[in-house]
Amino acid sequence: MSVYAIRHGETEWSLSGQHTGTTDIPLTDNGRALAEKLRPVLGKPDFKLVLVSPMRRARDTCEIAGLAGRAEVDPDLMEWNYGAYEGITSAEIHKTRPGWQVFRDGGGPGGESPDAVAARADRVIARARAVKGDVALFAHGHILRVVAARWIGLPAQAGENFLLGTGTLCILGDYRGTPAIDVWNGPLA
């Protein structure tokens, strides 16, 4: 069994570095092109389960990649709730909160804690591991970084070590029965 973790394509806010948790914004033209590059790769596995965040950017990526007809919306794949830090960049946050880091400190006031995000990631992982066959997850950068950390038994805070570009493919699997990361930030060309 392999879990294909796919980050949505580029958006205007991913380009500008603005934290995009609950704001539902569309893909850019380049984001749509990135999603199209996923189609031939994701057309090969026989996915037994396809889960997608309810956010438009993830659902559109799933649709363009050819798996929307089989997808089930899973709210646990929502991006981190950044609270008061929604829509602003890390540089702007650091002006009033130097050294802030989402994986350690959580979202801003009214936002989600790392433990809350880890609990959501653990539920997604449990669903994936219950399936006999390949699984596809369409979601967002920070939640997928936590999913990767939790997949290999690390705390949510370890997500800071897994950089993840837009429109990229990652594969979570195992090495002789031990959870492992087979592909991370996989190029599609």
Side-chain angles (χ1 to χ4, degrees):
M1 183 252 300
S2 293
V3 175
Y4 290 65
I6 302 105
R7 182 177 177 197
H8 64 77
E10 175 189 275
T11 68
E12 289 296 331
W13 283 14
S14 68
L15 277 174
S16 65
Q18 292 170 266
H19 287 85
T20 318
T22 58
T23 304
D24 208 5
I25 61 175
L27 299 172
T28 62
D29 288 342
N30 185 53
R32 298 179 72 76
L34 288 170
E36 185 63 42
K37 288 182 180 181
L38 292 164
R39 184 181 282 273
V41 176
L42 297 176
K44 294 175 185 171
D46 179 24
F47 292 108
K48 301 301 181 194
L49 178 66
V50 177
L51 299 176
V52 62
S53 161
M55 303 309 287
R56 177 180 177 187
R57 55 197 182 272
R59 288 183 294 113
D60 287 352
T61 299
C62 181
E63 180 179 346
I64 294 165
L67 295 176
R70 302 173 55 196
E72 177 184 333
V73 172
D74 187 339
D76 283 331
L77 284 173
M78 286 281 296
E79 182 57 295
W80 206 299
N81 180 337
Y82 301 112
Y85 293 164
E86 179 76 10
I88 59 177
T89 67
S90 292
E92 292 170 314
I93 295 165
H94 289 156
K95 289 176 185 174
T96 58
R97 194 167 172 197
W100 173 82
Q101 211 275 20
V102 69
F103 293 99
R104 180 188 60 238
D105 303 319
E112 237 175 334
S113 70
D115 288 343
V117 176
R120 291 195 290 114
D122 289 347
R123 289 191 297 267
V124 170
I125 290 168
R127 286 190 73 186
R129 286 186 170 148
V131 172
K132 301 274 191 264
D134 293 337
V135 174
L137 308 175
F138 288 84
H140 314 276
H142 286 162
I143 182 65
L144 288 176
R145 291 166 68 176
V146 174
V147 167
R150 300 298 298 145
W151 181 264
I152 59 174
L154 297 175
Q157 292 79 357
E160 71 183 345
N161 301 111
F162 297 97
L163 302 181
L164 186 57
T166 54
T168 54
L169 170 71
C170 304
I171 303 175
L172 311 176
D174 70 82
Y175 176 74
R176 298 181 183 169
T178 299
I181 297 174
D182 293 334
V183 175
W184 190 256
N185 244 350
L188 299 175

